[in-house]
Amino acid sequence: MKILFAASECVPFVKTGGLADVVGALPKEIQKSGADVRVILPLYKAIGPKWRDRMEHVLYFYVNLGWRHQYVGILKTEYEGVTFYFVDNEQYFGRDYIYGMGGDEGERFAFFSRAVIEALSKIDFIPDVLHCNDWQTGMIPVLLNAQYKQLELYSNITTVYTIHNLQYQGIFPIGHIEDMLSLGDWAYTSDHLEFFGMCSFMKGGLVFADEITTVSPTYAQEIQTAYYGERLDGLLRSRIDHLSGILNGIDTSDYDPATDQNIVQNYTAETFGSKAKNKAALQEELGLHIDPDAPLIGMVSRLSGQKGLDLVECVLGEIMATGAQLVVLGMGESKYVDLFSWAQWKYSGQVAARFEMNPALSHKIYAACDLFLMPSMFEPCGLSQLISLRYGTLPIARETGGLRDTVLAYNKYTGDGNGFTFLNYNAHDMLHVIEQAVEMYRGDRNTFNQIAIRAMGGLYGWDQSALKYVALYEKLVGASAPAAEPAVPAELPTPAVEAAPVEAAEAPAKKPRAPRKKAADGEPAPKKPRKTTAKKADDAEPVKKPRTRKKAEAAEAEN
């Protein structure tokens, strides 16, 4: 079975969010099943010489994009047993940013979609399953169905489309996309791509993919409601038979406190006490008060409203009043950059913020913190809570999406749980749970540590989820395989002995006639007279029915 992942980012080459972690880890795990799994993504300028020097130039060709005739270079490299292809075009990908900033995002990823499909026949890899991810690849299933399925090479390709975040849909002017991809009426009809007067790449993937997945079971249910569905809930409900939620995992070899090279002190569940050295080192590095008794709360996140940062803003003073320390790492909206910049000044020694993409520092935060705050408005899956659990850092999370599937609130009566949760999207509900966690850290450190040690023993890898993807692929490949022709022998078998001459066959015995029904007095009932036609009557010529009323009257007068 051959699988090709198409995505806009992938670790270790380029990353802006959790999508990159998924595409970097999942193919490796699926490959263990024996499948041939490969990945294709854009060759961004951000992919530096460390990786470019390892790439091999495969070929180049041109694709039509409206009136444009655009260059496509294909490079490849192998990393951890997986082959990666890169689509090269300096006009679209040779920029100082990855995506989300330019005015031609629709054109960039329309080009990428066309390039991916055209490349398949040229790199000699026709996949059984083409697995597309998020809006940047949403046009691939559309193009495949509209323009390529009738070609023999492409006829058996099936598609899986994974929603990593329904909020980002890739919405652009219809006329512009139709001009790029020559889709005709497909772009303008509401059954296909039209979305409130615009063209939605996300909708294209949802309509035309053979199977749709999301990154957690709870999120798969949530997006079928108006509150979470981003105006696509009706479409998703209509495709419920082809929609499933498969929980994300993390790369447990990359995120392993026992071997992590980014942290000061490695540790395991058995040596959990050594974790404290990472906390002291991070407090010193970031200018926080070095205080082992102050619970350290971490946040590694994109700075956006989705992540619940407005709740933090609302009760930031009360959080600081608990005596906890807060460290924030991420990039995003300026209002939140301003918020945490101000907080770092206001609560000097208690708050530290870094506005950058820094994987090494994120590892230090996961290892050093006691608590990890994720008050998301919605969270398709979330990887940060899985990583923090792996490092024995207890999450404080809102019960939504993947957070609900992975973080179980501590129950003081049963002792179950691996973190702290709240349900309502409310700042003071969040504050109440933070206060509970801080109180336990200070007043019952033994119980707190036992929960953290138990959390480290959880299963957060891709092994189980990868098996679910493999089962989905196998179902698709089985359904798309052409029916086998019945086996026909080359020649009829020769009889072992010569057939005997055929005797005159006896006439088959007549079926006995049912006895006549008896009348009420016991005598046989009289036979029902046979129907006869005028032609068969002995004493009369057949009477012809006159064709018209006048002829009928004339016939009566003669008689």
Side-chain angles (χ1 to χ4, degrees):
M1 185 165 59
K2 296 187 288 187
I3 316 295
L4 180 66
F5 276 74
S8 58
E9 57 183 271
C10 173
V11 296
F13 308 105
V14 61
K15 175 180 176 178
T16 66
L19 169 61
D21 291 301
V22 173
V23 180
L26 180 55
K28 290 189 297 184
E29 198 65 37
I30 291 174
Q31 193 153 266
K32 293 177 183 178
S33 70
D36 184 356
V37 187
R38 306 185 188 185
V39 180
I40 188 165
L41 58 150
L43 183 62
Y44 299 106
K45 181 180 179 180
I47 301 175
K50 173 184 176 181
W51 301 111
R52 287 177 183 258
D53 292 346
R54 297 175 50 170
M55 294 179 190
E56 166 195 351
H57 179 78
V58 179
L59 52 85
Y60 73 91
F61 57 95
Y62 291 85
V63 295
N64 292 323
L65 203 67
W67 55 267
R68 306 154 187 81
H69 198 54
Q70 301 289 40
Y71 169 87
V72 181
I74 301 294
L75 293 84
K76 76 173 182 178
T77 190
E78 187 172 306
Y79 179 72
E80 295 185 345
V82 177
T83 297
F84 290 85
Y85 296 100
F86 298 86
V87 174
D88 179 29
N89 181 290
E90 285 293 311
Q91 177 183 343
Y92 293 127
F93 305 127
R95 307 183 182 189
D96 293 331
Y97 59 89
I98 296 172
Y99 47 73
M101 297 176 66
D104 62 347
E105 293 293 90
E107 182 176 337
R108 294 176 76 204
F109 288 99
F111 164 79
F112 179 64
S113 298
R114 176 74 75 191
V116 167
I117 295 180
E118 290 283 347
L120 300 181
S121 60
K122 298 174 175 59
I123 61 176
D124 195 26
F125 186 75
I126 302 296
D128 298 303
V129 180
L130 186 49
H131 191 149
C132 304
N133 296 270
D134 259 355
W135 75 261
Q136 292 89 352
T137 59
M139 295 306 295
I140 292 177
V142 180
L143 290 170
L144 189 63
N145 281 274
Q147 299 172 354
Y148 291 84
K149 272 287 190 177
Q150 66 272 23
L151 303 177
E152 184 178 356
L153 278 176
Y154 294 84
S155 60
N156 290 325
I157 297 177
T158 60
T159 51
V160 174
Y161 184 71
T162 297
I163 306 167
H164 294 266
N165 192 330
L166 192 65
Q167 189 177 54
Y168 301 98
Q169 299 182 13
I171 298 175
F172 306 101
I174 289 179
H176 186 55
I177 301 305
E178 197 282 326
D179 174 56
M180 296 289 113
L181 299 177
S182 304
L183 290 168
D185 290 341
W186 287 51
Y188 290 93
T189 57
S190 59
D191 288 343
H192 296 145
L193 301 176
E194 188 275 335
F195 186 70
F196 296 94
M198 302 289 277
C199 174
S200 169
F201 279 40
M202 174 74 76
K203 183 179 177 181
L206 298 180
V207 170
F208 290 100
D210 296 304
E211 291 287 334
I212 303 166
T213 70
T214 69
V215 290
S216 72
T218 295
Y219 192 59
Q221 297 300 317
E222 288 178 342
I223 59 176
Q224 296 177 55
T225 67
Y227 185 79
Y228 291 98
E230 302 291 344
R231 301 191 294 178
L232 288 169
D233 51 293
L235 170 58
L236 290 162
R237 288 194 298 273
S238 73
R239 299 221 59 194
I240 189 170
D241 292 339
H242 299 279
L243 171 63
S244 56
I246 302 177
L247 192 66
N248 279 347
I250 59 172
D251 188 333
T252 52
S253 60
D254 188 27
Y255 293 105
D256 185 354
T259 58
D260 195 334
Q261 298 299 308
N262 296 292
I263 63 178
V264 171
Q265 177 64 54
N266 293 117
Y267 60 97
T268 64
E270 289 72 28
T271 60
F272 184 76
S274 300
K275 177 179 167 72
K277 294 182 180 178
N278 293 295
K279 178 177 179 177
L282 186 67
Q283 286 174 328
E284 182 177 4
E285 179 181 345
L286 298 182
L288 297 171
H289 299 307
I290 301 176
D291 182 358
D293 294 325
L296 182 57
I297 303 173
M299 295 186 77
V300 178
S301 173
R302 186 175 71 255
L303 303 182
S304 74
Q306 174 206 333
K307 298 299 183 179
L309 300 182
D310 53 335
L311 302 187
V312 177
E313 179 180 19
C314 186
V315 294
L316 182 59
E318 288 91 333
I319 295 173
M320 295 295 98
T322 66
Q325 295 179 348
L326 178 66
V327 54
V328 178
L329 173 65
M331 299 173 64
E333 297 174 29
S334 59
K335 62 182 288 187
Y336 298 116
V337 173
D338 293 343
L339 169 65
F340 291 115
S341 296
W342 170 83
Q344 187 171 226
W345 165 80
K346 174 69 174 178
Y347 302 101
S348 179
Q350 198 175 357
V351 175
R354 297 293 182 270
F355 309 111
E356 56 186 309
M357 295 291 292
N358 190 329
L361 180 56
S362 72
H363 282 242
K364 293 178 182 179
I365 292 172
Y366 290 123
C369 288
D370 304 297
L371 297 162
F372 196 89
L373 183 57
M374 293 186 71
S376 305
M377 179 183 295
F378 65 93
E379 193 65 60
C381 177
L383 297 180
S384 292
Q385 83 279 13
L386 300 177
I387 301 169
S388 66
L389 288 165
R390 173 85 166 151
Y391 282 76
T393 299
L394 299 183
I396 300 172
R398 180 168 173 258
E399 296 175 19
T400 183
L403 298 177
R404 183 177 181 180
D405 293 325
T406 54
V407 182
L408 179 64
Y410 171 69
N411 186 320
K412 66 179 179 180
Y413 300 106
T414 65
D416 295 331
N418 60 4
F420 306 90
T421 69
F422 62 102
L423 178 59
N424 297 317
Y425 191 71
N426 181 282
H428 287 86
D429 284 5
M430 178 191 72
L431 175 63
H432 178 64
V433 174
I434 292 173
E435 290 171 340
Q436 284 184 321
V438 170
E439 182 181 352
M440 178 184 286
Y441 180 84
R442 286 212 171 106
D444 192 357
R445 185 75 61 85
N446 183 57
T447 300
F448 188 95
N449 289 346
Q450 288 302 314
I451 301 170
I453 291 169
R454 184 169 65 235
M456 291 183 69
L459 300 176
Y460 309 116
W462 276 104
D463 45 357
Q464 295 302 313
S465 296
L467 292 176
K468 293 179 182 179
Y469 276 110
V470 171
L472 184 65
Y473 298 154
E474 288 175 343
K475 182 181 82 170
L476 281 174
V477 172
S480 69
E485 293 288 337
V488 179
E491 56 185 34
L492 295 174
T494 305
V497 295
E498 193 172 347
V502 179
E503 298 289 341
E506 292 183 6
K510 290 185 178 180
K511 186 178 179 181
R513 185 177 291 173
R516 282 187 285 153
K517 293 181 181 179
K518 292 186 177 182
D521 58 358
E523 290 297 319
K527 288 183 180 180
K528 187 176 181 180
R530 277 186 189 174
K531 227 182 232 185
T532 59
T533 63
K535 285 186 178 180
K536 292 186 179 179
D538 294 333
D539 56 349
E541 288 293 324
V543 180
K544 291 183 180 179
K545 184 177 180 182
R547 291 184 180 179
T548 66
R549 181 179 173 185
K550 287 184 179 180
K551 288 182 179 181
E553 290 174 350
E556 288 178 4
E558 289 176 2
N559 293 334

